[in-house]
Amino acid sequence: MFALVLSLLAAAPDESRRFVLEVAGVPVAELRVSVSGDRYLYESTHFLEEGPRKRQVQLRLKKNAPQPEVLALLHPPKPGCVEVLEERNAVLETLCVESASPQTVSGTIAGEKFSADYDDAGVLSGITVGSARWRAATAPTAPPPQSPFVKGVAVPSGPLQLEPPVEEARWLSASPEGVGAPDRVGRTRCLVLAREEAARRPGSHVSVGLVIEGGRAYPHAWVTGADRNPVDPSVLGGDSILQERRYLEVPPERAGAFFLRLFDGALKLKAK
């Protein structure tokens, strides 16, 4: 998510930096970036899905080529717009710096506003992109004992609506069918189980969003079949919990930002 021009990079010593993503004050992921000569390493670890989930990207830095996004903001960039390479999905995005000082830089990344802070040495100390806040870190950070993804958020009883509305978010007219095995169920394992179930069902796909249960809304994943009928492998067939659950589906490409906004209060579920 964060291009020094190559001339500046070549003059700079090798370095390694670490950041922690906080949601509602709880660390939910860490990011490590390092530069060694013309080699760039991006490593992220997410504290969800039944334990840490890691991703690693290695890139070779080339002259006159778009630079990795995080590297672009590791030191204060100059005002203007440049193309950068988003590391996770290897897609080009536009980084525009509208205001810059030695301590603060602001602008947009892929059209989304950001604000970055720098320490006295000119190194990134924190960046806010939309609802996500990354902070520089040095001490080891363990997965939180109870992340907001597990704890969920409290919601009113009765019919609910999103405020502000989210494009293409939709309430399921009925709960999915429970298809879980007795020894392999549980809401906190929903994404792992949904991926496995979708792989067994040709033409199906993993759906994501929220499940409302016991007065709280939790991030959740289930499976939508080729016939458009949903199933939930984290619940036993005929489980009575399905009668009281409500499901809200969100487009997968918007789910990450959706959850962050929900956890930090920018998005709310209110009574109709």
Side-chain angles (χ1 to χ4, degrees), residues 72-115:
L73 291 175
L74 203 55
H75 302 277
K78 296 179 180 180
C81 295
V82 295
E83 280 195 330
V84 294
L85 181 68
E86 195 278 325
E87 294 95 336
R88 294 169 300 171
N89 300 308
V91 297
L92 292 176
E93 296 183 343
T94 301
L95 166 65
C96 289
V97 175
E98 299 167 356
S99 175
S101 73
Q103 286 76 41
T104 305
V105 171
S106 61
T108 60
I109 300 175
E112 190 167 16
K113 291 184 178 181
F114 78 88
S115 177

Side-chain angles (χ1 to χ4, degrees), residues 187-211:
R187 181 178 50 74
T188 58
R189 306 184 64 214
C190 63
L191 184 55
V192 173
L193 297 172
R195 285 173 173 162
E196 293 176 353
E197 187 68 24
R200 290 193 289 265
R201 294 174 176 256
S204 65
H205 65 271
V206 174
S207 295
V208 294
L210 296 175
V211 62

Side-chain angles (χ1 to χ4, degrees), residues 11-261:
D14 295 351
E15 60 182 325
S16 178
R17 301 293 173 184
R18 179 173 177 270
F19 301 88
V20 173
L21 171 62
E22 294 183 354
V23 176
V26 177
V28 297
E30 73 169 340
L31 170 66
R32 296 175 185 266
V33 294
S34 60
V35 178
S36 178
D38 65 349
R39 300 290 178 176
Y40 172 75
L41 179 63
Y42 172 104
E43 299 175 287
S44 63
T45 301
H46 296 259
F47 304 144
L48 307 170
E49 299 182 30
E50 301 180 280
R53 174 171 52 89
K54 297 184 178 181
R55 174 177 293 179
Q56 184 181 93
V57 177
Q58 298 187 58
L59 299 171
R60 184 176 180 182
L61 303 173
K62 300 178 181 179
K63 188 176 181 178
N64 299 324
Q67 298 298 294
E69 199 169 67
V70 178
L71 189 56
L73 291 175
L74 203 55
H75 302 277
K78 296 179 180 180
C81 295
V82 295
E83 280 195 330
V84 294
L85 181 68
E86 195 278 325
E87 294 95 336
R88 294 169 300 171
N89 300 308
V91 297
L92 292 176
E93 296 183 343
T94 301
L95 166 65
C96 289
V97 175
E98 299 167 356
S99 175
S101 73
Q103 286 76 41
T104 305
V105 171
S106 61
T108 60
I109 300 175
E112 190 167 16
K113 291 184 178 181
F114 78 88
S115 177
D117 301 315
Y118 296 84
D119 61 21
D120 292 340
V123 178
L124 184 66
S125 60
I127 181 169
T128 301
V129 184
S131 299
R133 176 65 179 174
W134 293 90
R135 298 182 186 274
T138 54
T141 298
Q146 191 174 41
S147 80
F149 288 81
V150 175
K151 188 170 66 174
V153 296
V155 297
S157 59
L160 300 170
Q161 62 184 3
L162 288 170
E163 189 175 295
V166 175
E167 186 178 358
E168 296 184 52
R170 70 180 189 95
W171 293 97
L172 271 59
S173 58
S175 293
E177 176 189 359
V179 294
D183 60 340
R184 291 180 57 75
V185 293
R187 181 178 50 74
T188 58
R189 306 184 64 214
C190 63
L191 184 55
V192 173
L193 297 172
R195 285 173 173 162
E196 293 176 353
E197 187 68 24
R200 290 193 289 265
R201 294 174 176 256
S204 65
H205 65 271
V206 174
S207 295
V208 294
L210 296 175
V211 62
I212 314 299
E213 176 186 329
R216 303 191 73 84
Y218 303 93
H220 197 61
W222 59 95
V223 176
T224 300
D227 57 2
R228 302 299 299 171
N229 291 325
V231 297
D232 191 338
S234 69
V235 184
L236 291 172
D239 194 321
S240 60
I241 193 67
L242 290 168
Q243 299 176 13
E244 61 182 76
R245 276 185 167 187
R246 285 172 287 168
Y247 287 71
L248 175 69
E249 185 175 1
V250 179
E253 65 275 11
R254 297 179 184 164
F258 174 88
F259 293 144
L260 293 178
R261 292 174 63 202

